[in-house]
Amino acid sequence: MHFSDLGFDDLLSPTSVDSFFEDYWEKKHLLIRRGDPSFYDSLLSFKSMDQCIAATRCGTAPGTLVIVPPPGSDAEREHPDTRTLRAQQLYRAFHAGNTIRMSGIHSYWAPAAAVATMIGEALSASIGVNAYMTPASSQAFPAHFDTHDVIVMQVDGSKEWYIYSDGYDLPVETLNHVQDMTSRDVTRVDESTVDVIQKTTLERGDFLYIPRGVPHKAVATDSPSLHLTFGVHPFYWVDIVRRALDFAATRNSDLRRSLPPGFASQPRSKEAMKTTFSEVAEAAFQNLDFKAAVNSLNVGVTGGHDYPPDGHFASLIAVDTIDADTPLERRKGLDCLVEVIETGARIRFASNEIAGPPAIGEALRFVRDNRTFKPRDLPGPFADKSKVVLSKRLIREGLVRILEP
């Protein structure tokens, strides 16, 4: 199977999507032994890493990291100016036992971008992808937990993974003012204080999901290892409550008043604030607008996803050839938000939108809710010719592509 055709259910098979969300998501790790060493062949390989290194020289990639094995992991050496990076530096570092991490590989490697798009659509989350190339019998990081969920795909070689007990329950990296979750000292785990609940070797084609907060480490076996980690960054309940409070502040002037001058240094001011705080918080939480908050997050999701690398220029070139029976597909990873009011209708996706009269609202909802369709299928009070015109616009603006036979 080529990864451009992969769905989230294929990625999890034989585990069902329902079982994943009910039994594993944010709860415990999931190991899938694929039994198919070629499963990730079109995604990445040792051979293609030279191309990835070359891509970082354009200066647009997030960066390349040489990671010294523990206990020297604090000596990470980052190359901020990737345009001056020399491949020979990485060859020598790898030969010396260091792990090479290609950060943000989805920003320049189309197969990784396609899978990140698919996962992001399934989870309504932003996805970051790193590639880890580790020499035989070496490792990158000591035992630690991540502040985001991680999906691991073993694309070549093999690696021994240790999953530990007694993790941190659902850390959120944006709560830095409570505890600095971006600090390596906070997320590092003392192996002498935790138990190994599973030790397993990931072979080519295998899959591993690790919820945030679950301690783990990985060590290459007697062969070099190449794996991809897909970092999952979803919205949390705290995010929607924050949005709701923001909307409440637009209606409640008490939330917009400044705190008493000098409160940070005057204990009396702090004591006097307690009563006001309780009153303002109670009033705010009694009038939170769920619809406004969730719609705001929807806009964030739709606007946060970029167009997938699916060869859309081919559809642009052929756009004038379509008719009412041409099979079309809403492009993967493009969540849509449709708004219909008395004066018009629009559909938002990526950083774009298509707007028109209210009459097209039903058709836009249909596109949102159906992955594949023909122009003739679009509902609404207009003829097939008009449906083709709308479909061409959807293609030109990047929401829909011509489905290849």
Side-chain angles (χ1 to χ4, degrees), residues 100-145:
I100 308 300
R101 184 180 78 179
M102 311 297 291
S103 302
I105 192 173
H106 58 292
S107 65
Y108 55 87
W109 192 251
V115 180
T117 295
M118 175 266 292
I119 296 174
E121 182 180 34
L123 300 177
S124 293
S126 61
I127 308 296
V129 190
N130 295 336
Y132 289 85
M133 185 167 56
T134 303
S137 305
S138 187
Q139 74 180 91
F141 300 117
H144 68 284
F145 65 82

Side-chain angles (χ1 to χ4, degrees), residues 20-59:
F20 173 73
F21 287 126
E22 291 174 7
D23 301 326
Y24 298 97
W25 176 247
E26 295 189 321
K27 298 182 183 73
K28 61 182 180 180
H29 70 281
L30 169 64
L31 169 65
I32 299 176
R33 296 204 176 281
R34 194 77 62 188
D36 180 5
S38 65
F39 190 78
Y40 300 126
D41 279 359
S42 64
L43 184 55
L44 192 67
S45 67
F46 279 120
K47 188 175 182 180
S48 59
M49 288 302 289
D50 278 311
Q51 295 174 264
C52 292
I53 292 170
T56 65
R57 293 177 183 162
C58 69

Side-chain angles (χ1 to χ4, degrees), residues 50-211:
D50 278 311
Q51 295 174 264
C52 292
I53 292 170
T56 65
R57 293 177 183 162
C58 69
T60 60
T64 303
L65 211 61
V66 176
I67 304 173
V68 180
S73 291
D74 286 337
E76 292 176 351
R77 299 188 298 275
E78 187 168 8
H79 302 270
D81 188 358
T82 56
R83 290 169 295 182
T84 62
L85 182 65
R86 293 289 179 261
Q88 187 61 45
Q89 295 175 266
L90 301 182
Y91 298 158
R92 291 171 178 168
F94 185 76
H95 182 71
N98 302 309
T99 292
I100 308 300
R101 184 180 78 179
M102 311 297 291
S103 302
I105 192 173
H106 58 292
S107 65
Y108 55 87
W109 192 251
V115 180
T117 295
M118 175 266 292
I119 296 174
E121 182 180 34
L123 300 177
S124 293
S126 61
I127 308 296
V129 190
N130 295 336
Y132 289 85
M133 185 167 56
T134 303
S137 305
S138 187
Q139 74 180 91
F141 300 117
H144 68 284
F145 65 82
D146 291 305
T147 56
H148 55 272
D149 296 71
V150 171
I151 291 174
V152 178
M153 300 183 193
Q154 188 69 33
V155 299
D156 213 334
S158 58
K159 210 162 197 179
E160 203 167 56
W161 285 78
Y162 297 75
I163 309 295
Y164 298 95
S165 62
D166 300 326
Y168 188 102
D169 187 27
L170 299 179
V172 175
E173 55 195 343
T174 56
L175 300 180
N176 294 337
H177 59 285
V178 178
Q179 184 175 22
D180 188 4
M181 281 299 172
T182 63
S183 169
R184 189 173 302 280
D185 290 335
V186 173
T187 60
R188 185 168 293 178
V189 174
D190 183 353
E191 293 181 62
S192 67
T193 64
V194 292
D195 297 322
V196 177
I197 60 176
Q198 184 167 7
K199 176 183 175 183
T200 185
T201 301
L202 258 63
E203 306 286 354
R204 286 181 60 197
D206 287 348
F207 170 103
L208 178 63
Y209 162 71
I210 304 175

